[in-house]
Amino acid sequence: MCLFCFNAVTRGPNKAMAEKCKDPAEKTGRLTTVLALSTLISAFGSSFQYGYNVAVINSPAPVMQQFYNTTYMERYKTEMGQNLLTLLWSLSVSMYPLGGFFGSLMVAPLVNHLGRKGTLLFNNIFSIVPAVMMGASEVAKSYEIIIVARFIVGICAGLSSNVVPMYLGELSPKNLRGALGIVPQLFITVGILSAQVLGIRNILGNSAGWPLMLGLTGIPALIELLLLPFFPESPRYMLIQKGDEKKAKKALQRLRGWDDVDAEMTEMRLEDQSERAEGRLTVFSLLAQRSLRWQLISVVFMNMGQQLSGVNAIYYYADSIYSSAGVNENDVQFVTVGTGAVNVVMTVAAVFIVEKSGRRLLLLVGFGICCAACVLLTIALSLQESVSWMPYVSIMCVIIYVIGHAIGPSPIPNVVTTEMFRQSARSAAFMVSGSVHWLSNFTVGLVFPFMERGLGPYSFIVFAVICLLTLVYVWVVVPETKKKTFLEVSQMFGKRNKVEIKLGDSDLPLKDSKEDPEKVTAF
């Protein structure tokens, strides 16, 4: 018998409810057609764009900068200065994570009013409009349009990077929640790889093809806009936040592929009972909630560790590492595509092993590999000029780092964020985690060029230290959450938060382990 049923059985008011899930032969959730298609459409329509727009301007950067210069010369009859060109290009790059930050701030109000699926559909506006703008920028002879469009498509990425994991986490049965929770990250890596392939100079990474390459981001949005309306909204959202039990049950039956969904409906009702007194949490009330303190700290640590661990710096440094190893300048783009392919393959592997190995182990192994790779890369880059074969060690360090990040630090934080918070707190929690994610991303992009100039190869020691600190934090604080209900995960954090969790009984107060009883919701 599951934990929440046991607690319900031992308390009178919920006894009848618990009788429905006393059967020890509990059904194991399976990947139905509806669940699989909901996952693929939402991940392709939203998460794919995040990855695609991360990499889409890397390969055509020289020809796009030439467009900036030519446009300026046609307007002002003088050549653009190098400092101004650098500033405009930096804005073109940095507007994307800045837009992502603002998109993250919109998560909570949108998902609470429009629902998870509704927010994903609404979010396509922030993809289709900038796709048209970027595609028409050359005809309009305006680099300002590109900068503004990058900010708008960043809003799309900020929303999708938080809402898709939330949506899939609420659609999935607990035994598939980890695997399906990694699918958005898989599509991010596929998006990056697609942009790298299309960016090859013989395809679209040239003076004629770059506007089309930038505009293609609107196609996944159109596909999602046409197909996602035919698939269910989150049953948890429908029941707990909208109070529509009939629609929630119908959606759950479609997702599970059978009519008997009473056990899951019961678990959602128990969660609804325990949250009803507190209501929906805002970001400010979330920050003040003692029973969520360590969950929130963990989410901040994991998202900061994910972005500050040097993943963007590794990609930034990759081309120069490949060139120094003797790779022909024209062939560097193909090696970069190969690195992107490794990223995709390892993320696919994470989808299949996360439910067996667990989230915690993948985080520990991933950050450990990244830490070791950064240390070795520092040594290899330092000795590169004096030891002939050391550049090849540098290439191996980059590939090993990508493997480590792909199996743990990249996909797992969003999965764990979904599992650590219950319905009323989840949207605010994703708003916090998304803001930390994008601010950290923006910070690395802003600070790393100066670090690289001042510290050279020793920059990666900073990233190694961050990886190590995150690893230690995960080892000490973060529990294993695989195959646990949201209620059970809350109870696991109860002791660390010094709050007693009573599942299935919303009428009893929670007690601090050392202080007087405090009336709080059973988070």
Side-chain angles (χ1 to χ4, degrees), residues 324-326 380 383-395:
S324 67
L383 300 176
Q384 195 156 266
E385 299 296 328
S386 55
V387 181
S388 61
W389 48 266
M390 199 55 76
Y392 300 101
V393 176
S394 300
I395 291 179

Side-chain angles (χ1 to χ4, degrees), residues 505-518:
D505 193 346
S506 60
D507 297 321
L508 295 178
L510 300 177
K511 300 178 179 66
D512 186 277
S513 57
K514 294 182 179 179
E515 302 170 14
D516 293 332
E518 180 183 350

Side-chain angles (χ1 to χ4, degrees), residues 464-482:
V465 170
I466 292 172
C467 289
L468 181 61
L469 291 174
T470 311
L471 185 153
V472 171
Y473 180 87
V474 171
W475 177 269
V476 174
V477 176
V478 178
E480 181 52 67
T481 59
K482 71 172 182 177

